[in-house]
Amino acid sequence: MAVWTNGAPVRLLAGTGKDRPGRELVVAGVFRPLAALVATPLLRFGVPPPAVVLANAAAGLAAAALLAAGELVAAALLLQLKTLLDNADGLLARASGRVSLLGRYLDTEADLLVNAALFAALAAVTGRPWLALAAFLALTLVLSADFNLVALSREARREPAEEPLAGGGRSERALALVYRVLFAPQDRLLRWLSGRRLERVAGSVNGELGRKAALAYHDPFTVGVLANLGLSTQLAVLGVCLLLGAPEAYLWLALASLLVLPPLQLRRERLARRALSR
């Protein structure tokens, strides 16, 4: 469907979305098509993407409050609304040409706040605070690994990065500071560890052979697996667990998602070695 903004037509399709190597199936099959329907009128009326980010954060925090109160079904439904709005804000930003640093930081930090509230609520409703804390840390690590592997995969393929607009305002600077404190250290650590493991396999090999090893190391399968452990999928699974009356089951599933990382890393290293041997 075509909509208009600033006098120019913008085509907002269900297939429009973040251009990333991995495909999160629940997003591609469910949330992105629905998000396109939501984003279309928002685009027409000029709703700013950060407002949608705040709305999805409000839905997530409301879901956490309902979860803590034992209203599992209502919490499950609100979580899906949160995910729908979370996907809609990205579509809206791209369709309107307003992909901004403010929105990027706000989205990331709002998700962290909502996740913390959800796991605190899960701790309260299950009576398992230490399990909830471990699951929260596991989910945070998996989401960070997904984000950084996508970035490294793009770098290995020499794909141009999407450059968000920097406004330079106070809100943006404040959010950037929060990001540097909470996220930048783990980003640097994960990238350093990934690079060190590749160096251990490829040594000092450079040139075309070194690039082939890097491409094999950052393989699409690994990116795809991690994409399907992304936040939209996680909240969909949490919603199912809540509908089944089994919130504790999700804590174990979130913790178990960590078990995917070691075999994926071993597979990446094996692929790099194979590329070198050829």
Side-chain angles (χ1 to χ4, degrees):
M1 69 189 70
V3 294
W4 290 77
T5 176
N6 297 328
V10 176
R11 188 166 297 276
L12 187 61
L13 303 174
T16 302
K18 189 180 296 185
D19 182 20
R20 58 165 293 159
R23 186 169 182 255
E24 191 171 1
L25 297 178
V26 72
V27 171
V30 179
F31 287 110
R32 188 173 297 150
L34 293 176
L37 297 176
V38 172
T40 298
L42 297 178
L43 178 66
R44 183 165 184 91
F45 289 106
V47 176
V52 185
V53 176
L54 293 175
N56 89 57
L61 293 174
L66 288 169
L67 175 55
E71 300 291 339
L72 304 188
V73 174
L77 295 176
L78 265 180
L79 284 177
Q80 308 323 304
L81 174 61
K82 182 253 189 267
T83 301
L84 177 61
L85 293 173
D86 199 10
N87 282 274
D89 78 67
L91 289 179
L92 179 61
R94 287 171 180 80
S96 62
R98 290 188 286 182
V99 178
S100 66
L101 275 177
L102 173 67
R104 287 279 180 89
Y105 288 135
L106 183 62
D107 190 29
T108 301
E109 291 160 24
D111 282 344
L112 179 64
L113 176 63
V114 170
N115 289 348
L118 285 172
F119 279 91
L122 285 166
V125 80
T126 62
R128 303 289 297 272
W130 292 109
L131 176 60
L133 176 60
F136 170 69
L137 295 175
L139 176 62
T140 301
L141 179 58
V142 168
L143 294 178
S144 185
D146 175 30
F147 171 79
N148 284 285
L149 185 57
V150 167
L152 291 170
S153 177
R154 282 177 169 152
E155 290 174 13
R157 286 166 173 74
R158 299 173 183 169
E159 296 175 357
E162 186 179 40
E163 295 294 339
L165 299 173
R170 290 183 179 179
S171 297
E172 183 183 294
R173 292 198 300 271
L175 291 172
L177 177 61
V178 173
Y179 189 94
R180 286 197 296 271
V181 172
L182 295 180
F183 293 96
Q186 65 180 340
D187 288 346
R188 286 195 297 269
L189 177 61
L190 286 170
R191 291 185 182 216
W192 178 81
L193 287 172
S194 181
R196 288 289 294 173
R197 295 303 303 176
L198 179 56
E199 286 178 13
R200 188 180 180 89
V201 172
S204 58
V205 175
N206 294 312
E208 189 60 27
L209 188 57
R211 183 167 182 268
K212 286 181 179 179
L215 288 172
Y217 185 67
H218 299 296
D219 69 301
F221 176 81
T222 300
V223 177
V225 170
L226 288 179
N228 284 282
L229 294 176
L231 187 56
S232 295
T233 301
Q234 296 283 347
L235 294 184
V237 172
L238 173 56
V240 171
C241 291
L242 295 182
L243 290 174
L244 294 175
E248 186 175 326
Y250 175 71
L251 295 178
W252 289 108
L253 289 172
L255 193 58
S257 65
L258 270 182
L259 299 177
V260 174
L261 298 182
L264 284 177
Q265 180 61 33
L266 292 174
R267 180 179 182 276
R268 297 170 70 200
E269 293 176 18
R270 186 172 67 252
L271 290 174
R273 290 192 186 94
R274 189 179 300 167
L276 289 172
S277 67
R278 290 175 182 173

